[in-house]
């Protein structure tokens, strides 16, 4: 939700900011802007993508070695040039970029209007920079102190960077609820700062993650951090473990396609060192101190949003099936506002690719305050949810840049399966034989995913037939029900076709009324315990002339005689089938979206990291 980047040092800042913004564009792409200190303060901003900002700035060729940049996902005020960041103070001396929401902005704005401030935009962010300006005037203090004092009065979430024409050799950054990473240049004479490490990684791997309620003062040779209460803290330097190639497209047209095809490897990475099939054992290194709490938990609550919530549903089926612990899966946004019953001793699994989703973070904090133990399942190392959890397991999928989540889903399911199996073993709810069967099968999943990916050309052919459909229905039962939801979500996210996922048996309670010869129905009908039932559901669709695309197990001879199109996936254990059956659905949505001329990596209105409620 908005990407921010800043730099101070000796390099030409404009191209560096543009490159950084392109890396952060997955966080929002409604508008983009930069502010550069170069004797004066030059601000350029434009509605649209970063490339549109580049075209707009082309002739100006801004110079300077200190600057900030922003790519926006609109919250307050529509996406237009005026609402684009950076925003400036009344006198034009200060500029700010902001990710987050200032909740009390309208009261602050009213006060500032009374004092004669004139606003150029409808944003909450512009109010903050005017407020800082006002405080600096009132207290006659330096900029850092003005920022600090202003933030003590602000309610809401923010990651900000502020620069000033009057102090051209410094950047001031602060965070609460929205992430900020500071990169320390190799020769210690430059600093990078960004919403995540992707704009930084090609310059340095030494980083400091700013904590909530901290303010950083960056000059060319020095980084000083203090709390918002004015107490200095020592920066904790960490070494980033990320390869530049992992954030580039590597020959693929889109990140989404690259990430779909990376799954054999990302799944291997998710289980590396954890799945010890020969020893019939699972170990999750990140869960040890609180392992017993999880084993003894009377109940597990899983929270997440979007695709992570779907992975949570798969986990519910697995954990209840093998470990026999009652599980509830909650939309984080609903959970946090509905006065849920949370008992001491409950275990909460918070699933989040980005580790920054505001609703998931808030739900986690709520559960924590009621005495629950929190286990984070995140992709981004050092992210807010990972840090706020008691313990957890990273999914190690590598950076996921396509806005529609693909490889994070399968890596989440792998880690959650391992968690379920680990619990089952400790609780003795699974026999050694069953455990060994599933672990050996899990080990074979990456090669089976490779095989499933071989249907790509066939799926492209099917996509061409259905690309103009206005609605899609996705049906699945048991472990494949969450996959039906995920398939429908993928399609609507990137192709803007209305799609619904349903448990196949529920179809007769409503969606069946929608079925006619125009309606494509994707049925996930792999060989499992509900195979015969789903065959009946297919017949119900066909009797109403629906067009059926069936995802079947390799070698199925029955379903191909009944349906319009079949896509095969290899056989596996029922519990692990989501890892295979989701692959053709990811590819189907990718090809349909591409054929409809949609921007697959940056679908309209969406953002990868949703740091607002
Ligand atoms: C956004 C993304 C989805 C993602 C969801 C949850 O809506 O577009 O792809 O599934 O947020 O994100 P998280 O980072 O918490 O998994």
């Amino acid at each position: 939700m908005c990407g921010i980047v800043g730099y101070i040092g000796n390099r030409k800042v404009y191209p560096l900011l543009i490159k950084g913004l392109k890396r952060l564009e997955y966080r929002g792409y409604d508008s983009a802007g930069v502010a550069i200190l170069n004797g004066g303060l030059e601000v350029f901003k434009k509605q649209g993508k970063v490339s549109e900002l580049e075209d707009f700035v082309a002739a100006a060729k801004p110079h300077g070695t200190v600057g900030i940049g922003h790519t926006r996902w609109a919250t307050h005020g529509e996406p237009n040039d005026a609402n684009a960041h950076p925003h400036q103070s009344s006198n034009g001396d200060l500029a700010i970029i902001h990710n987050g929401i200032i909740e009390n902005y309208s009261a602050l704005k009213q006060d500032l209007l009374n004092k004669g401030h004139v606003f150029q935009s409808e944003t909450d962010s512009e109010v903050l920079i005017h407020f800082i300006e006002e405080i600096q005037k009132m207290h006659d203090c330096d900029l850092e102190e003005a920022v600090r004092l202003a933030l003590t009065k602000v309610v809401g979430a923010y990651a900000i960077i502020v620069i000033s024409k009057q102090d051209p050799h410094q950047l001031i950054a602060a965070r609460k609820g929205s992430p900020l990473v500071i990169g320390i240049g190799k020769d210690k004479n430059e600093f990078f700062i960004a919403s995540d490490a992707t704009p930084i990684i090609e310059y340095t791997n030494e980083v400091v993650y700013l904590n909530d309620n901290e303010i950083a003062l960056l000059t060319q040779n020095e980084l000083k951090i203090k709390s918002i209460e004015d107490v200095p803290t020592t920066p904790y330097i960490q070494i980033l473990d990320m390869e530049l190639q992992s954030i580039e497209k590597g020959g693929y047209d889109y990140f989404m396609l690259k990430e779909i095809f990376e799954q054999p490897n990302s799944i291997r990475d998710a289980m590396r060192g954890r799945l010890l099939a020969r020893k019939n054992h699972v170990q999750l290194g990140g869960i040890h101190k609180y392992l017993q709490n999880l084993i003894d938990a009377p109940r597990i609550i899983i929270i997440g949003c979007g695709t992570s919530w779907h992975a949570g549903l798969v986990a519910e089926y697995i954990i209840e099936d093998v470990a026999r612990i009652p599980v509830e899966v909650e939309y984080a946004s609903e959970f946090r506002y509905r006065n849920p019953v949370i008992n001491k001793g409950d275990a909460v699994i918070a699933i989040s690719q980005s580790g920054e989703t505001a609703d998931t973070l808030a739900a986690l904090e709520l559960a924590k305050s009621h005495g629950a133990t929190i286990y984070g399942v995140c992709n981004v190392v050092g992210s807010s949810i990972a840090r706020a959890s008691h313990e957890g397991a990273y999914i190690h999928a590598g950076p996921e840049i396509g806005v529609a989540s693909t490889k994070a889903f399968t890596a989440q399911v792998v880690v959650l399966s391992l968690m379920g199996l680990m619990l089952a073993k400790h609780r003795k709810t699974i026999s050694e034989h069953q455990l060994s069967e599933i672990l050996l099968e899990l080990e074979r999943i990456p090669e089976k995913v490779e095989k499933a990916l071989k249907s790509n050309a066939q799926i492209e052919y099917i996509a061409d037939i259905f690309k103009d459909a206005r609605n899609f229905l996705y049906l699945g039962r048991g472990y494949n029900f969450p996959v039906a939801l995920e398939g429908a979500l993928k399609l609507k996210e990137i192709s803007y076709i209305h799609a619904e996922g349903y448990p196949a048996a529920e179809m007769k309670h409503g969606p069946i009324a929608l079925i006619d010869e125009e309606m494509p129905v994707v049925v996930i009908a792999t060989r499992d315990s509900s195979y015969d039932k789903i065959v009946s559901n297919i017949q119900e669709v066909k009797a109403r002339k629906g067009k059926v695309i069936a995802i079947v197990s390799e070698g199925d001879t029955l379903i191909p005689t009944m349906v319009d199109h079949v896509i095969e996936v290899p056989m596996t254990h029922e519990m692990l089938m989501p890892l295979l059956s989701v692959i053709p659905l990811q590819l189907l949505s990718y090809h349909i979206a591409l054929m409809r001329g949609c921007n697959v990596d940056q679908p309209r209105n969406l953002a990868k990291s949703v740091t607002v409620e």
Side-chain angles (χ1 to χ4, degrees):
M1 214 86 324
C2 300
I4 69 182
V5 59
Y7 175 77
I8 183 162
N10 294 321
R11 296 173 201 257
K12 282 192 181 144
V13 75
Y14 175 67
L16 188 146
L17 294 178
I18 291 292
K19 202 171 188 187
L21 289 179
K22 285 190 173 160
R23 295 244 162 89
L24 292 173
E25 216 169 11
Y26 71 87
R27 300 176 68 87
Y29 28 82
D30 290 334
S31 62
V34 293
I36 292 169
L37 288 165
N38 181 18
L41 174 64
E42 286 186 291
V43 176
F44 302 90
K45 47 194 201 168
K46 198 78 199 132
Q47 177 182 351
K49 302 234 157 81
V50 177
S51 57
E52 287 164 67
L53 172 71
E54 265 185 299
D55 293 344
F56 174 65
V57 179
K61 295 204 176 53
H63 294 289
T65 61
V66 181
I68 55 179
H70 186 273
T71 177
R72 176 168 188 246
W73 186 86
T75 56
H76 294 67
E78 64 177 87
N80 58 25
D81 293 353
N83 288 332
H85 296 218
H87 293 286
Q88 287 176 268
S89 53
S90 289
N91 60 11
D93 282 1
L94 309 179
I96 191 170
I97 49 175
H98 170 219
N99 165 208
I101 291 183
I102 307 301
E103 287 170 14
N104 58 338
Y105 84 104
S106 77
L108 294 173
K109 187 170 183 172
Q110 195 48 55
D111 197 38
L112 291 161
L113 283 168
N114 296 342
K115 292 189 168 115
H117 285 252
V118 177
F119 293 89
Q120 312 297 327
S121 78
E122 302 150 88
T123 64
D124 51 338
S125 316
E126 190 189 8
V127 174
L128 181 54
I129 196 67
H130 282 244
F131 186 45
I132 292 169
E133 176 186 31
E134 188 61 32
I135 288 194
Q136 192 172 19
K137 206 159 68 186
M138 254 162 50
H139 292 257
D140 192 21
C141 57
D142 64 25
L143 183 60
E144 189 194 14
E145 180 64 359
V147 171
R148 189 186 74 74
L149 289 172
L151 293 180
T152 59
K153 304 274 185 286
V154 156
V155 179
Y158 51 79
I160 55 167
I161 312 179
V162 178
I163 55 174
S164 165
K165 195 154 76 176
Q166 305 305 334
D167 301 289
H169 304 294
Q170 66 175 34
L171 301 177
I172 294 164
R175 86 159 260 183
K176 183 180 175 197
S178 300
L180 269 184
V181 189
I182 297 168
I184 303 170
K186 291 219 166 69
D187 299 325
K188 315 271 183 258
N189 62 356
E190 59 180 346
F191 289 100
F192 308 81
I193 179 157
S195 301
D196 71 27
T198 56
I200 295 176
I201 186 68
E202 69 185 275
Y203 307 104
T204 178
N205 63 352
E206 282 189 23
V207 296
V208 173
Y209 290 93
L210 209 60
N211 291 311
D212 274 349
N213 299 310
E214 282 184 347
I215 301 181
L217 173 68
L218 299 101
T219 54
Q220 200 182 328
N221 299 305
E222 199 178 15
L223 164 65
K224 282 190 191 161
I225 299 181
K226 61 162 77 164
S227 74
I228 214 157
E229 288 83 31
D230 212 10
V231 181
T233 58
T234 312
Y236 170 56
I237 300 173
Q238 301 188 41
I239 304 299
L240 270 182
D241 179 22
M242 193 192 273
E243 303 282 338
L244 185 59
Q245 69 197 41
S246 69
I247 55 167
E248 293 185 331
K249 283 192 200 143
Y252 286 90
D253 290 339
Y254 286 93
F255 280 111
M256 182 181 178
L257 191 62
K258 176 187 173 223
E259 287 157 7
I260 292 174
F261 275 86
E262 271 174 357
Q263 288 176 107
N265 281 333
S266 51
I267 289 175
R268 269 185 207 107
D269 291 343
M271 50 200 194
R272 178 163 299 126
R274 295 165 162 178
L275 167 59
L276 310 170
R278 308 288 163 261
K279 293 188 182 156
N280 217 16
H281 189 65
V282 173
Q283 73 187 22
L284 291 169
I287 303 179
H288 50 94
K289 192 166 154 205
Y290 294 93
L291 175 61
Q292 202 58 46
N293 299 41
L294 191 55
I295 295 168
D296 297 336
R299 181 170 75 135
I300 293 177
I301 304 167
I302 298 181
I303 50 176
C305 302
T307 292
S308 296
W309 186 81
H310 294 157
L313 276 188
V314 179
E316 174 185 26
Y317 283 49
I318 296 174
I319 295 172
E320 293 205 341
D321 194 358
V322 298
R324 311 302 298 151
I325 304 175
V327 179
E328 282 164 35
V329 189
E330 300 268 1
Y331 285 113
S333 54
E334 286 297 313
F335 181 74
R336 58 181 291 202
Y337 286 120
R338 68 163 179 79
N339 194 16
V341 176
I342 309 163
N343 298 315
K344 206 165 184 302
D346 283 346
V348 169
I349 302 177
I351 308 174
S352 175
Q353 185 286 129
S354 62
E356 301 295 343
T357 302
D359 283 321
T360 310
L361 187 57
L364 174 166
E365 295 294 359
L366 174 75
K368 210 161 136 185
S369 70
H370 283 73
T373 314
I374 318 291
Y375 304 85
V377 175
C378 298
N379 191 28
V380 178
V381 175
S383 55
S384 303
I385 292 171
R387 290 193 291 165
S389 302
H390 289 100
E391 287 199 314
Y394 284 113
I395 62 169
H396 298 308
E400 189 182 64
I401 295 174
V403 165
S405 186
T406 53
K407 64 173 179 171
F409 174 77
T410 45
Q412 287 165 341
V413 170
V414 166
V415 168
L416 293 161
S417 310
L418 291 172
M419 213 183 249
L421 292 166
M422 177 182 79
L423 288 177
K425 183 166 181 180
H426 282 286
R427 291 167 56 84
K428 304 196 174 32
T429 47
I430 193 168
S431 71
E432 288 289 313
H433 173 70
Q434 274 176 313
L435 180 65
S436 138
E437 206 177 59
I438 301 173
L439 291 182
L440 287 170
E441 194 47 38
L442 190 50
E443 226 177 24
R444 283 183 215 120
I445 288 291
E447 73 201 53
K448 294 192 175 184
V449 170
E450 250 155 52
K451 210 160 172 202
L453 288 166
K454 294 216 161 76
S455 302
N456 188 31
Q458 186 208 354
I459 295 169
E460 191 174 355
Y461 169 79
I462 297 173
D464 194 38
I465 299 171
F466 293 103
K467 63 178 185 302
D468 298 318
R470 298 186 55 203
N471 298 288
F472 261 78
L473 194 59
Y474 285 71
L475 302 176
R477 298 181 79 120
Y479 282 105
N480 280 325
F481 160 56
V483 178
L485 296 181
E486 176 59 9
L489 177 65
K490 286 293 84 96
L491 188 71
K492 59 189 149 196
E493 276 180 315
I494 60 171
S495 73
Y496 320 139
I497 296 175
H498 169 246
E500 278 192 55
Y502 247 81
E506 274 291 304
M507 177 182 63
K508 55 186 173 294
H509 300 293
I512 199 162
L514 301 170
I515 292 174
D516 59 16
E517 61 277 11
E518 302 281 296
M519 175 68 110
V521 184
V522 178
V523 187
I524 309 153
T526 50
R527 279 228 170 257
D528 58 25
S529 49
S530 43
Y531 179 78
D532 293 340
K533 306 271 179 221
I534 205 142
V535 167
S536 308
N537 298 135
I538 290 175
Q539 276 162 340
E540 288 157 14
V541 175
K542 283 315 294 175
R544 283 149 188 96
K545 300 194 169 42
K547 297 277 182 296
V548 175
I549 304 159
I551 313 299
V552 300
S553 300
E554 210 169 39
D556 189 317
T557 51
L558 174 64
I559 295 179
T561 63
M562 299 163 48
V563 303
D564 302 84
H565 301 277
V566 285
I567 304 167
E568 289 193 343
V569 293
M571 289 284 284
T572 189
H573 190 284
E574 176 165 4
M575 192 183 117
L576 306 176
M577 189 46 94
L579 295 166
L580 302 181
S581 56
V582 76
I583 305 288
L585 306 190
Q586 296 170 343
L587 286 168
L588 184 66
S589 61
Y590 170 79
H591 287 298
I592 290 180
L594 207 60
M595 287 169 189
R596 289 166 67 93
C598 302
N599 184 336
V600 170
D601 282 340
Q602 296 175 345
R604 69 181 181 208
N605 304 338
L606 296 178
K608 181 110 193 116
S609 177
V610 183
T611 53
V612 296
E613 289 182 22

